[in-house]
Amino acid sequence: MLLISYGFGLFLAALVLLYYLVPGRFQWVLLLAASYLFYLIGGGIYILYPMATTVSTWLLARRIGRITRQSKEYMRKQEWTRQQKKEYQLQVKKTQRRWMIFGLAFNFGILAVLKYTNFVLGNVNGLLRVFGADGEFALAGWLLPLGISYYTFQSMGYLIDVYYRKYEPEKSLARFALFVSFFPQLTAGPIGRYDQMNEELYAEHSFCSENLRLGFERMLWGYLKKLVVADRLGPAVVTVISAPEVYDGIYVLLGMIGYTVWMYADFSGGIDIVLGAAEMFGIHLAENFERPFFSRNLGEFWRRWHISLMTWLREYIFYPVSMSRAAKKLSELTGGFFGKEAARKIPVYFGSVVVWLTAGIWHGASWNFVAWGMANCIVMLASQECAGLYRAYHKRFSFSNAKGYRYFEMIRTFFLFACLEMFEYYSFGNVFLMFGNMVSTARFSQLFDGRWSALGLGRADLLAAGVGILLMFLVSVWQEKGRHVRRTIEEMPWLLHYGFIFGMCMMVLIVGVYGHGYDASQFIYNQF
């Protein structure tokens, strides 16, 4: 069941009605049943995978929590020295670490096998052909379970938190199952944290018309992004980036910009629908975007884009890896070659490489995404190394502190991000070839040489997409200035308020794209 299908609308409406009719103590049970029904409709037998992750993670977290309680009770009965207590605690953590590692290996193993087996086999077959070997391995024919990367990362974050004793493990398997499978999140995230979700997820919620209205308006905004902008640009963008031998010159630039806008409208639109649907039940999920195109550098950009994933990678990979024994030993080994100053940065480099390699692989099982992750890593590390130069530059040239220069930095960051995205859709060699071709041969006259007509974007399409993009931009500008857009709309005279909402509804229903020979109902990030 897809988020923009009529079936989802009916499903959500019926569920909201039932949710406020049943006794409050049963509301979370209804959400759990609805979440599993949602997955059964969309994933069928593949529901066994999230169930396996749910049960295994719950059992292991309970086991780790039980060890913690038993060890504390045992220590209270002993008359030990401080050293003896420390040694015992180390043994306890070692045992708990084994259970945690088992859980990580089991669940990430499922993700790796299902998502990356064909990638590995394809590379092995390529090597066999290079060396002239006969035969090759047959590729696996299984499908990827819905949202597997999201619920796996969310569950493993919970297991790691329990191991570090950030909170007690959930006693109820059913309640934990709702945390893993809450249906709006399954399709596009965000990746939630148990300590941030548990209170609202299981709380009793009284009927509140404001939650329904605000949730509907948030969903409507997501549908506008998706149907008016993303699905109108998508087919044209795919045509351009899929045929570099045909669409060169200025089309490389248009494809680069179009791909970035398309992806943002599609992904953030999906998140808006998810957050709006959850808000109808009185549940507020974490924001996943914070106006990333107003960022002044790439580091800031990645703190504003796909926030839940980048936060997860920072907390559960970067910090543990950069502070690990392996990182410290690597720093010690390189100290004699590069000096102590450079050696101190090795843990940061090591952690950054692991994070961006993971981010690339998470996004897709292909070398394109590995290259994309490593390209981002190189640019980010280079920016960190040049931080002193940047500070000296801003201090030396006063114009760099002016408002106009800030706009330049935003535009620069947008194009830097768009350039790095080229690694996602061009082969590694073609990225540099097409970038050079764009710089050297792009001419405005190329738009009138007949290739544009094959993209299927007429004047009406451009007008509709342009209006949608303009609305997205104006809302972002308003928010970036610290103004609350939703509150501003609420404070309008009721006729203007509902006239604005009605206008958005008509724009989605009349101007929205519902498929012209392509699947307009599939979100880009559903594949994860």
Side-chain angles (χ1 to χ4, degrees):
M1 189 186 304
L2 299 169
L3 294 183
I4 65 169
S5 64
Y6 294 116
F8 177 75
L10 293 174
F11 174 84
L12 183 63
L15 182 58
V16 168
L17 178 63
L18 287 174
Y19 185 78
Y20 290 110
L21 288 177
V22 301
R25 64 182 183 277
F26 296 124
Q27 287 177 329
W28 72 268
V29 179
L30 177 64
L31 287 182
L32 175 60
S35 296
Y36 273 84
L37 176 61
F38 179 88
Y39 204 100
L40 278 170
I41 294 172
I45 192 65
Y46 287 93
I47 195 175
L48 294 175
Y49 290 108
M51 290 177 68
T53 294
T54 299
V55 173
S56 63
T57 305
W58 180 77
L59 288 173
L60 290 167
R62 293 278 290 164
R63 176 61 178 163
I64 292 172
R66 190 179 306 115
I67 292 173
T68 299
R69 292 192 301 273
Q70 291 174 348
S71 65
K72 288 181 178 180
E73 292 174 3
Y74 181 73
M75 285 180 64
R76 279 197 294 266
K77 299 176 182 179
Q78 308 303 317
E79 294 182 359
W80 283 345
T81 64
R82 181 178 296 180
Q83 182 62 29
Q84 287 175 318
K85 290 180 180 180
K86 183 178 180 181
E87 291 176 356
Y88 177 72
Q89 288 173 337
L90 288 174
Q91 284 299 118
V92 169
K93 291 302 290 184
K94 188 175 181 180
T95 302
Q96 291 178 314
R97 189 181 300 112
R98 289 183 184 138
W99 287 113
M100 180 192 67
I101 291 174
F102 174 75
L104 296 177
F106 176 74
N107 288 286
F108 280 130
I110 293 175
L111 173 63
V113 169
L114 293 177
K115 192 170 182 178
Y116 305 108
T117 294
N118 284 342
F119 173 61
V120 173
L121 291 178
N123 284 281
V124 170
N125 289 337
L127 289 174
L128 291 176
R129 286 192 293 271
V130 169
F131 290 103
D134 295 329
E136 59 182 30
F137 293 98
L139 299 181
W142 52 59
L143 298 175
L144 197 63
L146 178 66
I148 184 171
S149 294
Y150 291 111
Y151 71 71
T152 300
F153 272 47
Q154 182 161 303
S155 302
M156 293 305 95
Y158 164 83
L159 184 62
I160 295 170
D161 284 346
V162 170
Y163 167 76
Y164 283 115
R165 304 180 185 180
K166 293 182 179 179
Y167 42 76
E168 290 293 318
E170 172 57 56
K171 295 179 180 179
S172 168
L173 174 59
R175 286 162 68 98
F176 180 68
L178 176 59
F179 166 71
V180 176
S181 61
F182 184 46
F183 74 95
Q185 287 181 286
L186 282 174
T187 53
I191 301 170
R193 291 183 52 157
Y194 180 78
D195 55 337
Q196 296 173 347
M197 292 179 60
N198 67 331
E199 291 186 9
E200 287 192 348
L201 203 57
Y202 312 123
E204 298 182 13
H205 295 101
S206 302
F207 175 79
C208 177
S209 60
E210 184 179 10
N211 284 340
L212 293 182
R213 178 173 54 80
L214 292 176
F216 172 77
E217 291 174 1
R218 184 68 183 264
M219 292 181 68
L220 183 62
W221 179 237
Y223 285 127
L224 187 146
K225 289 181 179 179
K226 170 65 175 172
L227 295 172
V228 176
V229 179
D231 284 347
R232 180 164 272 103
L233 296 179
V237 171
V238 170
T239 299
V240 171
I241 65 178
S242 300
E245 68 283 355
V246 176
Y247 290 97
D248 57 0
I250 197 170
Y251 287 97
V252 178
L253 176 63
L254 294 178
M256 184 176 73
I257 297 173
Y259 182 85
T260 303
V261 175
W262 169 45
M263 185 169 57
Y264 174 72
D266 186 281
F267 189 18
S268 68
I271 292 294
D272 287 327
I273 296 170
V274 167
L275 298 184
E279 192 169 4
M280 287 186 170
F281 303 102
I283 298 170
H284 299 85
L285 301 177
E287 293 288 344
N288 217 20
F289 289 90
E290 191 178 333
R291 303 169 298 283
F293 296 127
F294 287 84
S295 304
R296 297 169 64 179
N297 55 66
L298 195 62
E300 181 186 354
F301 184 94
W302 281 112
R303 291 190 293 272
R304 290 169 171 246
W305 177 287
H306 207 338
I307 298 170
S308 63
L309 174 64
M310 300 314 296
T311 301
W312 196 100
L313 293 173
R314 183 176 64 251
E315 293 185 2
Y316 299 115
I317 293 185
F318 177 77
Y319 291 136
V321 168
S322 61
M323 293 186 291
S324 65
R325 292 180 181 178
K328 291 178 181 178
K329 287 182 178 179
L330 187 60
S331 178
E332 292 171 0
L333 289 173
T334 55
F337 296 97
F338 304 108
K340 292 183 180 180
E341 184 64 28
R344 279 198 293 266
K345 300 177 181 178
I346 293 299
V348 175
Y349 294 165
F350 185 46
S352 297
V353 169
V354 175
V355 161
W356 283 105
L357 182 61
T358 304
I361 294 174
W362 184 89
H363 278 83
S366 76
W367 288 111
N368 285 73
F369 288 104
V370 173
W372 167 82
M374 290 298 94
N376 274 277
C377 181
I378 291 170
V379 173
M380 293 279 285
L381 291 177
S383 297
Q384 292 178 26
E385 287 302 311
C386 294
L389 292 176
Y390 294 150
R391 286 193 295 269
Y393 173 80
H394 289 295
K395 187 176 180 180
R396 174 68 178 82
F397 299 102
S398 58
F399 69 84
S400 64
N401 298 311
K403 183 180 293 188
Y405 192 82
R406 290 200 293 271
Y407 295 148
F408 162 75
E409 289 179 313
M410 294 174 192
I411 296 171
R412 179 191 63 191
T413 302
F414 173 89
F415 279 101
L416 176 58
F417 174 76
C419 285
L420 292 172
E421 291 298 300
M422 294 170 73
F423 285 98
E424 290 189 5
Y425 50 84
Y426 288 141
S427 64
F428 186 80
N430 263 350
V431 169
F432 303 99
L433 181 64
M434 298 308 295
F435 184 83
N437 180 277
M438 174 186 68
V439 172
S440 61
T441 67
R443 297 186 305 277
F444 186 74
S445 60
Q446 292 172 329
L447 298 176
F448 306 98
D449 60 8
R451 286 179 287 179
W452 179 270
S453 59
L455 300 180
L457 286 176
R459 292 181 179 178
D461 293 301
L462 291 175
L463 178 61
V467 171
I469 293 171
L470 179 62
L471 281 174
M472 290 166 57
F473 175 74
L474 292 176
V475 168
S476 296
V477 169
W478 195 266
Q479 291 174 327
E480 191 67 14
K481 291 181 177 180
R483 298 171 181 173
H484 200 290
V485 175
R486 300 173 82 180
R487 187 179 300 121
T488 301
I489 295 175
E490 290 174 25
E491 293 173 353
M492 291 179 177
W494 71 269
L495 185 62
L496 189 60
H497 177 187
Y498 288 103
F500 179 75
I501 300 303
F502 178 77
M504 286 182 62
C505 285
M506 291 298 99
M507 189 172 181
V508 170
L509 293 174
I510 298 174
V511 184
V513 175
Y514 295 92
H516 292 299
Y518 66 96
D519 185 4
S521 60
Q522 190 68 266
F523 286 84
I524 296 174
Y525 271 69
N526 274 10
Q527 62 184 301
F528 308 125

